[in-house]
Amino acid sequence: MNTTIHPFHIPLSRRRLLHSLLMTTGGIITGSVHAEALALTPRATEGPYYPDHLPLDQDNDLTLITGGKAPASGVVTEFGGRLLNADGKPIQNAVIELWQSDNNGCYIHSRGTQPGKERDPQFQGYGKIETNAKGEYRFRTIKPGLYTGRTIHYHIRVKQNEKSMLTTQLFIAGVPQNDRDGILRSMGTEQQRLSVIREFKPMSTEGKELVGTWDIVIGSTPEEPEQRGRGPGGPGGPPPRRRDNAAAGDQDFKELFFGSGPF
Ligand SMILES: [Fe+2]
């Protein structure tokens, strides 16, 4: 089955916007590659809410569902960049997945609704895109909703030939809860942590939409925890605890990062 993702499964009016984002990131990335050279993107737990039922619409615009009645609630955010290897070379034809909470802090997961909240039915919750010949990817989505026990975050997975290369999380700079987030604090070295906390800036003077850039840097082999820095599973760190998608349950997640604290 051909699973190639078309980057432009989105209305014409938006193509121009995303095209300009790509051009923008292209310019910025050149600098960031040098600034963050060889800092592998740190891995992080996938958490308990990787969708247990994937949505029919899986494109890279999570704000609109095919056939949906309205756009998703929340502040629109876009981010994109390049997928690079440790030498800074672009990696093409890799699939980047994004899953995250909606504006109410709820995931598209059978247990992903937060107490007292309802899931936004207009939010896609999950999307993916294949990197192009320059290693570029991008997403249009919303700022994730906050839920108890975490700062706001995007979940990201990089796959090549259906093999997971990296599972990580992306954060927005300036969010007060970042400093207290156990998962963020456990991610690799300080340089690696800084590489996953990105500035999101207004896309234009008139709108509220935000845009950020983020390069993802992975090693040359499929995800091998013992080679990925000093976090859990890295040299000097505790043994690898990552499990396969289906096996990563709530208990494992709580145990790893929150002890007996609130989730
Ligand atoms: Fe999460």
Side-chain angles (χ1 to χ4, degrees):
M1 188 173 67
N2 182 2
T3 53
T4 301
I5 297 61
H6 229 282
F8 295 117
H9 278 165
I10 35 187
L12 263 175
S13 58
R14 192 154 293 135
R15 291 185 191 183
R16 244 172 260 120
L17 186 64
L18 290 178
H19 183 71
S20 64
L21 168 66
L22 202 53
M23 295 301 106
T24 306
T25 57
I28 293 171
I29 285 161
T30 307
S32 69
V33 166
H34 295 298
E36 296 168 9
L38 304 180
L40 295 184
T41 301
R43 67 190 187 91
T45 177
E46 72 172 36
Y49 298 132
Y50 183 88
D52 48 3
H53 294 89
L54 290 171
L56 288 176
D57 188 353
Q58 301 180 6
D59 73 351
N60 62 334
D61 183 352
L62 282 66
T63 66
L64 291 174
I65 296 176
T66 304
K69 296 190 176 74
S73 300
V75 176
V76 170
T77 56
E78 289 192 8
F79 63 89
R82 288 198 297 176
L83 177 65
L84 304 169
N85 68 15
D87 298 325
K89 296 207 170 69
I91 299 171
Q92 60 178 322
N93 303 125
V95 172
I96 301 185
E97 296 182 305
L98 163 66
W99 72 101
Q100 62 165 100
S101 62
D102 65 18
N103 197 41
N104 300 323
C106 301
Y107 285 83
I108 53 160
H109 186 284
S110 52
R111 288 173 293 143
T113 305
Q114 302 302 323
K117 305 277 182 154
E118 284 188 9
R119 201 165 65 72
D120 175 5
Q122 309 297 344
F123 183 56
Q124 192 170 296
Y126 168 95
K128 61 184 178 180
I129 184 168
E130 190 171 309
T131 56
N132 66 16
K134 296 176 184 170
E136 293 165 328
Y137 77 94
R138 61 188 176 274
F139 288 105
R140 181 175 170 86
T141 184
I142 61 156
K143 195 173 178 177
L146 193 62
Y147 60 89
T148 306
R150 292 299 317 273
T151 188
I152 62 177
H153 57 280
Y154 297 102
H155 291 271
I156 300 287
R157 172 168 294 140
V158 180
K159 285 179 173 175
Q160 264 187 322
N161 303 319
E162 286 303 309
K163 194 176 280 186
S164 177
M165 302 288 286
L166 173 70
T167 302
T168 188
Q169 298 184 17
L170 170 66
F171 302 85
I172 297 177
V175 175
Q177 289 84 356
N178 285 353
D179 294 340
R180 303 192 296 273
D181 192 80
I183 289 175
L184 174 55
R185 288 167 65 176
S186 75
M187 291 172 68
T189 63
E190 185 178 5
Q191 186 189 12
Q192 286 178 307
R193 281 192 291 283
L194 289 174
S195 76
V196 295
I197 305 171
R198 306 299 298 174
E199 296 276 353
F200 280 69
K201 298 190 169 149
M203 203 176 294
S204 64
T205 48
E206 62 270 18
K208 287 184 179 171
E209 300 190 355
L210 302 174
V211 61
T213 64
W214 183 44
D215 291 345
I216 304 170
V217 184
I218 61 175
S220 56
T221 55
E223 187 169 274
E224 292 173 352
E226 68 278 6
Q227 296 179 2
R228 293 204 57 87
R230 291 185 294 163
R241 294 293 301 273
R242 184 181 179 280
R243 297 183 184 180
D244 293 335
N245 295 3
D250 285 2
Q251 192 52 47
D252 184 44
F253 186 72
K254 287 179 190 172
E255 196 184 5
L256 253 177
F257 295 101
F258 295 104
S260 57
F263 175 60

